[in-house]
Amino acid sequence: MKHVVIVGGGFAGVNCAKKLAEHPEVRITLIDKHNHQQFQPLLYQVAAGFLAPSNVAYSLRNMLVRHPNIEIQLDEIVSADLNNRSVTSANGKTYHGDFLVLAAGSQANFFGTPGADQHSYPLYSLHDAELLRSRILAVLEAANRDPSLIAKGALNFVLVGAGPTGTEMAGTLGDMIHHALREEYPSLPLSEAGIYVVDMGHCVLGAFSTKAQAYAAKMLEQRGVRIHLHTAVKEVEEGHVVLGDGTIIPTHTVVWAGGLRASEFSGNVGIRQGHGGRIDVAPDLTVPGFKGVYALGDFANITGKDGKPLPQLASVAEQSGKWAAKNILADIAETPRKPFDYFDKGIMAMIGRGAAVAEMGAHRYELEGPMAFTAWLGVHVALLSTMHAKVEAVVEWVWDYFSEVKGDQVLDRFSQETIDWNADAGEPPKAQATPAKGS
Ligand SMILES: Cc1cc2nc3c(=O)[nH]c(=O)nc-3n(C[C@H](O)[C@H](O)[C@H](O)COP(=O)(O)OP(=O)(O)OC[C@H]3O[C@@H](n4cnc5c(N)ncnc54)[C@H](O)[C@@H]3O)c2cc1C
């Protein structure tokens, strides 16, 4: 019986494990530092309190319970020996397989921005989303108690990065602050809230068409979001953010959506890391020079058919997981491996209730509004691993999208209430927002 060790139970690892598990002659050990798979595309909705954590995180044991040849280990891997196809955990346990699959995903990349790692909120895990939700609620409560804190930035929210994560979070915050919470905070002057998106690029949603970018910018501005383009974040401090153009924004809530890199563990696998700290792989998803070792999803630099790198997307991770499983089975059967053939379903982003953009398929057929949401729903539900998760998710996401009802507005991470209101808040914003391209 062949043994496959998989590090990472995200889209790539779970799909690889499930495909392999169809073959009883293969034994799989799936290792993850969390006991659940997290649906990252919707973390921002947990942060905004529109969805409950249980809507975006699924127990790995429950998800894979019908596969007796998959063993799950809750463990954090810290190093790998690719020659031996083994990995070692923080607990000192070593896992060795006939095949080793590295699918440990990604984490925030602060690009050395001073203070960013200490004073901003990344949005890459359920834990991140829960902390951010509590901080958003904590600053609202503090300002409600003491309106003088508004001048110290209590109601300013800065989103670093205008890609899908920053755009989606900004639009959702706009819906939350200027719409959903008005009744709950009748005496709080929510109209004084400032939601800022800051990006070095020339547009929001850079990977999309200029039409979609203009639509997204308009939807953000309708939600009271101020867009600063061509602008870097120079420094993140306890009570303010300094932008490259000298603007200082007093704030205690900075969301980092400014970039990602492979999970830290990629620096400890004994080979040179590629772009973004990721592992460069051959077209068949193997790590060159190491027999039986594969790297997948966000953890790998995978090249598409056109020779360009594939983006860090859930569908790339899911498909690479299934493809790697087929190549492992080919290795076992001693037949040739095949180069990964990615089926491009398109790209999409939700900017807020009733506002979404989608570019469907490799030819990028463009959709906006409810049609784009329907496309988003179809693609993302397909990514979920069990029928139960799919049904539950459709009900929750459709309900959330069309209803006026809020999810869990729960301030349960009490550490996030500790805010240094005496921290230097800088000066009030000087510069006006740079108009977004096409708006
Ligand atoms: C906020 C956000 C929004 C996104 N929105 C979209 C979207 O709308 N559409 C889309 O297609 N994609 C989206 N993405 C990207 C998509 O989520 C990723 O491309 C996808 O999750 C990658 O899957 P993966 O399996 O490679 O990694 P992940 O899903 O990140 O899974 C990696 C797993 O490895 C585990 N792990 C990490 N390090 C270790 C370790 N040392 N030891 C053990 N386990 C470890 C983690 O716990 C995790 O479970 C979004 C990403 C983010 C962060």
Side-chain angles (χ1 to χ4, degrees), residues 8 10-12 32-34 40-41 77 104-105 123-124 298 313-314 317 380:
F11 289 105
D32 202 295
K33 61 183 178 180
H34 298 114
Q40 288 178 335
I77 298 303
L123 199 47
Y124 291 94
D298 279 10
L313 284 179
H380 286 83

Side-chain angles (χ1 to χ4, degrees), residues 7-13 31-34 36 38 40-41 43 75-78 103-106 123-124 165 168 260 263 265 296-299 312-315 317 348 376 380 383:
V7 182
F11 289 105
I31 309 161
D32 202 295
K33 61 183 178 180
H34 298 114
H36 51 268
Q38 23 202 13
Q40 288 178 335
L43 290 177
D75 216 347
E76 178 168 4
I77 298 303
V78 290
S106 43
L123 199 47
Y124 291 94
T165 303
E168 291 180 330
L260 46 80
S263 295
F265 148 66
L296 312 176
D298 279 10
F299 202 69
Q312 278 67 56
L313 284 179
S315 47
M348 33 204 90
W376 184 97
H380 286 83
L383 289 168

Side-chain angles (χ1 to χ4, degrees), residues 35-349:
N35 81 331
H36 51 268
Q37 184 188 23
Q38 23 202 13
F39 197 83
Q40 288 178 335
L42 281 175
L43 290 177
Y44 72 95
Q45 297 230 4
V46 174
F50 285 128
L51 284 181
S54 58
N55 297 136
V56 302
Y58 311 96
S59 152
L60 284 170
R61 287 189 188 280
N62 186 265
M63 190 185 276
L64 299 169
V65 72
R66 289 184 206 291
H67 301 283
N69 50 344
I70 301 181
E71 184 203 13
I72 293 165
Q73 290 286 352
L74 179 64
D75 216 347
E76 178 168 4
I77 298 303
V78 290
S79 65
D81 177 348
L82 301 192
N83 286 310
N84 283 321
R85 296 179 303 281
S86 68
V87 289
T88 301
S89 76
N91 292 312
K93 181 163 173 163
T94 295
Y95 301 84
H96 171 263
D98 299 299
F99 296 90
L100 174 63
V101 177
L102 305 175
S106 43
Q107 65 184 46
N109 190 349
F110 297 107
F111 298 104
T113 309
D117 56 344
Q118 283 167 280
H119 302 301
S120 68
Y121 289 81
L123 199 47
Y124 291 94
S125 68
L126 185 59
H127 182 67
D128 293 340
E130 289 173 322
L131 288 181
L132 177 56
R133 177 182 64 192
S134 285
R135 171 50 65 97
I136 293 169
L137 295 171
V139 291
L140 291 171
E141 294 298 341
N144 193 57
R145 240 179 0 248
D146 177 1
S148 74
L149 297 179
I150 295 174
K152 296 184 175 183
L155 296 184
N156 286 341
F157 304 89
V158 178
L159 292 301
V160 185
T165 303
T167 301
E168 291 180 330
M169 187 69 219
T172 305
L173 262 174
D175 281 340
M176 178 188 182
I177 301 281
H178 296 301
H179 188 66
L181 293 182
R182 270 196 316 222
E183 276 184 6
E184 290 188 17
Y185 292 90
S187 52
L188 186 61
L190 286 168
S191 58
E192 289 181 33
I195 304 168
Y196 302 84
V197 172
V198 185
D199 197 291
M200 282 174 20
H202 67 283
C203 58
V204 296
L205 294 183
F208 287 72
S209 71
T210 46
K211 185 168 165 249
Q213 290 165 1
Y215 172 83
K218 192 169 127 199
M219 290 300 112
L220 287 178
E221 282 160 0
Q222 276 180 10
R223 288 164 172 76
V225 176
R226 299 172 215 188
I227 305 167
H228 288 254
L229 298 173
H230 307 286
T231 309
V233 168
K234 218 168 114 191
E235 199 177 343
V236 184
E237 283 291 331
E238 171 86 32
H240 66 270
V241 161
V242 184
L243 306 188
D245 63 5
T247 304
I248 295 173
I249 304 175
T251 179
H252 295 267
T253 316
V254 180
V255 181
W256 192 268
L260 46 80
R261 45 154 292 125
S263 295
E264 206 173 343
F265 148 66
S266 73
N268 222 358
V269 301
I271 58 171
R272 196 177 63 82
Q273 295 162 275
H275 181 66
R278 291 180 282 271
I279 305 299
D280 294 334
V281 291
D284 60 7
L285 304 172
T286 56
V287 179
F290 298 96
K291 194 164 176 275
V293 180
Y294 289 75
L296 312 176
D298 279 10
F299 202 69
N301 285 317
I302 306 174
T303 306
K305 278 180 285 190
D306 57 3
K308 292 186 188 152
L310 291 173
Q312 278 67 56
L313 284 179
S315 47
V316 174
E318 178 224 12
Q319 291 180 39
S320 66
K322 290 178 178 165
W323 200 277
K326 284 196 239 165
N327 276 344
I328 289 170
L329 294 168
D331 283 340
I332 294 170
E334 297 183 357
T335 56
R337 293 186 290 268
K338 289 194 179 144
F340 179 45
D341 187 4
Y342 175 58
F343 175 61
D344 186 354
K345 295 178 186 166
I347 49 176
M348 33 204 90

